[in-house]
Amino acid sequence: VSEWVTVGRADDVPLLEGRSARYGEARIAVFRLAGGWAAIDHACPHAGGPLSDGIVADSCVICPLHNRRFDLATGEQVGGTDRVTTYEVRERDGLLEVRPAVEVLLDEAA
Amino acid sequence: MPFEDMTDRPRVLIVGGGIAGQAVCEQLAPRAQVTLACGEPRLPYDRVSLGRLLAGETPDALQLRPEDWYSDRGVDVRLGTWIAALELDAGTALTGNGELLHYDRVVLCTGSDALVPPMEGADSPGVCVFRGPEDCERIVEAAAGSRRAAVIGGGLLGLEAAYQLATMGVPVSVVHLMGRLMERQLDGAAAELLAPAIEALGVEVLLEHATEAVLADEATGAVRGLRFASGTELDCDLVVVAVGIRPQVGLARATGLDVERGIVVDDRMVTSHPRVLAVGECAQHRGIVHGIVAPIHDQAAVAARTALGDDALYEGSVPSAKLKVMGIELVTAGAAEGERAVVVADERDGTYRKLVLHEGRAAGAVLLGDTRGSELLLDAIRTAREVADPLGLLQEASQATAAELPDTAQVCNCNGVCKGEIVQAIRHGELGSTQEVVAVTRAGAGCGSCKPVVSELLAIERGGAVEEATYLCPCRKQTREELAGIVRAEGLESVSELSASCGAGRDCGACKPGLAYLVSEVCGNRHREERHARFINDRVHANIQNDGTFSVVPRMRGGVTSADELRRIADVVDKYEIPLVKVTGGQRIDLLGVRKEQLPAVWEELGMPSGHAYAKAVRTVKTCVGTDFCRFGLGDSMKLGIELESAMEGLYTPHKVKSAVSGCPRNCAESYVKDIGVVAVEGGWEVYIGGAAGGSVRKGDLLAKVDTPEDAKRLTLAFLQHYREQAEYLERTYGYVERVGLEAIQAAVLDPTEQAALLERFRIAKSAADPDPWQERHAPAVPKQFAELDTESEPVVVGPPVGAAL
């Protein structure tokens, strides 16, 4: 399991908004939801739109360029076949820490 | 002609150009050589929507297919052609014009006539039926001078006719023989809730009234009232009879076919003669004559396959009906009563949802006041789905979105289109607007009541990228009016409060900017601003570009600038290495490719206010030079344009508003094609609204001609406020003007009292609007408003602008 990496301050992400951050070589988008945190790839797989600038609902975000919508829990496009990587986020002492979400593969479970 | 060589195609004569004839034609052409004989002098039209003719539309608007649709498919359409006789063994038909037509198969789609019950005086000139465009024309004509109208018949058709008459401003009574309205579709409880809802529209409901006679003036023959079996009378000068239909079976009978109430057909839709089929209201299948549209499509599909020599069986339809009366939602399907039924009702709101079961299977539904999930329930009824938990199914339906409907669910009952067909058409045809989907699939082309579902399917397929107004929150099926009602009733001040109260905006979030506008408008801009509900453009006050950078357009009122401003713009472009500077169509200068982090510093050094070019707001007032320099100028267009822009800027609107003022009718500022356009003419000013010259091109309508620039300004602002209050979110003025009509808008903004009230509300909204959101460079609304977690916005250098002389 990967280590937690600090990506920024929790206070810099307002409720139901997103901000982008650097995570190693990648850019991710971190969102503050009513029930906690979510993080996904920053670039929309369609045309690279900045997902951190999207409109956020209870559990999804809409890309500001062409309105592709992604489930923040699964990373899957709603009403489509694209998907983005999801990350786990936790808040420690006012800082946001991120690591890749653990994917449970069916083969492993079997 | 691509079909001429296909001589082995069967020749099929369709008798009757109604919805049934068209439905058969759709299924057959071009696989058969089709001749479509229409008795009426017009191409097939959507009789289901006849009420729209009473609302002022022309019959062309109801036409089902354009003329070239028929020629493209090699359909031989004969308008105004009655079939006088059929020689079945010879395979010929004699037309009323004496022409002989040849065929292999005949499909009778002769439809029905309006049933006029026997009563004294039924043939008086003031008695109309509600069946065809000519009838509507008569009704509209008679309604114009009518003091009171009576509609005989409290079924679907009668209620729709009565509603249209009431809408025309005619006091109207519905006279119904039975003890409850729509007794064929409704149970007693629903009918009892429907009656007061109908009465709330200004329609008097008289139940258990058997009309005995139409009373007419002996001298003139004019209708003066109705007399009932009870001996009581009703004063009225217009009578519309809408009690039912009588199948047109004359030709079938004369040809010797088996006829009972309708033309008897078997499960293949074949009559007693193997060469002849019958479809629609003239046909009687298993003892049933269907008088509503939905079964016609099922029958037409089977008839077409039979005519082409395929095997297909029609085993009956579940009748379903939708009442097309504004403000009353009513859908029924199958049986209204049965061995088991569950009901969820709210007596206060007048909503009633009932699911009827037969032997444990869905058999019927009545949905009044709340028709959510009707498609899901209809599908369950059509497929006689086994239902273990009927209350659970009702509950599931009330929360079902279009995404959850099975592909087999019929979305459009008028044209018989299933969800699966719509989704396929959107995917394969890459359709992007509801209008296109309607045009391609025909779903929504009838009564239009399924259009919200069509839009929803499109939004799902397109990932929400449909800029269309119907439901403001499509996920929760809430309209703008409903949501505004909630905001007012509960005194809400923010989108979060609205979401918490009714769920709007929580599911997909796409409607949040619309909700934000709604809340701000209802609260006269004294709402609590929440940035998460705004599109990114309105969070950073700049227009997002395809690479994630932004464009910056400073305010330049009336398109008038100065050397000083131009110099500062040039310096900013140099200093921040802005990749593109472009003059816009709205007489502004656009700086493109600015990074989010640069915005505050760029604004500071421009030293000009926001031009709101990123917002659904008043964008620009374009002007010509007018009397200042132009030798043709009649009015000072620059002065008025600049004043108007100052008055309107900073106010958000349902969609962007482009405006112009021209100093003479040469119209160099293009006022005719703006949302609001003002033109100086000899002796005054003309104000145009609803013009467009973008994706749509439309010349604006003349709202009024006024005497002075002050009058023009008042009128413009009154219209702007009216549009702000009344239009759907994302509805441009041209859509709004076309939807509600110029006259309604004139009535609202030209009346002195109304105008004064609009201007007062405008003043209130304007006084609380933020005139320059770019000031947030000094006081960001939220942390890192112009930066990311790992970046900082460039420092705002407060002081003399770059390039200014020291």
Side-chain angles (χ1 to χ4, degrees), chain A residues 43-63:
Chain A
C44 177
H46 168 231
L51 292 174
S52 63
D53 284 342
I55 285 183
V56 180
D58 277 3
S59 62
C60 62
V61 64
I62 302 174
C63 176

Side-chain angles (χ1 to χ4, degrees), chain B residues 136-280:
Chain B
C136 291
E137 216 169 286
R138 284 184 63 201
I139 294 172
V140 170
E141 213 166 282
S146 171
R147 285 176 295 101
R148 177 155 210 101
V151 174
I152 303 179
L156 264 183
L157 203 62
L159 292 178
E160 286 172 17
Y163 161 69
Q164 293 294 350
L165 284 165
T167 309
M168 284 186 252
V170 183
V172 53
S173 306
V174 166
V175 178
H176 196 47
L177 181 65
M178 310 301 286
R180 63 182 202 232
L181 294 173
M182 290 180 62
E183 74 282 351
R184 255 170 281 173
Q185 289 92 5
L186 298 185
D187 61 347
E192 258 175 55
L193 287 172
L194 178 62
I198 293 285
E199 293 197 314
L201 298 169
V203 175
E204 183 188 29
V205 176
L206 300 173
L207 298 173
E208 294 185 302
H209 275 61
T211 310
E212 206 174 56
V214 178
L215 306 173
D217 188 280
E218 278 179 23
T220 64
V223 170
R224 60 176 178 80
L226 296 178
R227 190 179 67 235
F228 304 113
S230 60
T232 56
E233 293 185 1
L234 173 74
D235 272 346
C236 61
D237 49 22
L238 166 61
V239 175
V240 178
V241 181
V243 293
I245 56 163
R246 202 184 49 198
Q248 274 243 26
V249 295
L251 179 63
R253 194 168 267 146
T255 310
L257 299 173
D258 277 359
V259 173
E260 291 172 7
R261 282 176 54 232
I263 306 164
V264 178
V265 294
D266 61 16
D267 286 357
R268 296 170 308 141
M269 302 311 292
V270 176
T271 65
S272 56
H273 192 287
R275 215 167 199 169
V276 188
L277 294 80
V279 166

Side-chain angles (χ1 to χ4, degrees), chain A residues 7-9 11-17 19-22 27 30 47 50 52-58 60 62 64-69 78-79 96, chain B residues 460-466 505-510 512-513 531-536 539 544-546 548 550 596 782-785 787-790:
Chain A
V7 296
R9 283 160 33 81
D11 285 351
D12 287 343
V13 189
L15 180 63
L16 294 177
E17 284 196 44
R19 292 288 181 267
S20 75
R22 191 173 46 237
R27 276 207 88 71
V30 183
S52 63
D53 284 342
I55 285 183
V56 180
D58 277 3
C60 62
I62 302 174
L65 293 193
H66 306 99
N67 298 316
R68 296 254 185 320
R69 184 153 63 96
V78 182
L96 292 173
Chain B
I460 293 165
E461 285 302 312
R462 287 273 161 267
V466 193
R506 293 187 57 171
D507 300 328
C508 86
K512 280 166 69 174
R531 288 298 156 81
H532 67 76
R534 300 286 190 184
F535 186 57
I536 183 66
R539 284 185 243 157
I544 191 162
Q545 303 297 307
N546 61 9
F550 293 86
K596 194 194 264 180
V782 293
K784 295 254 182 189
Q785 184 176 0
E788 305 302 338
L789 289 181
D790 58 338

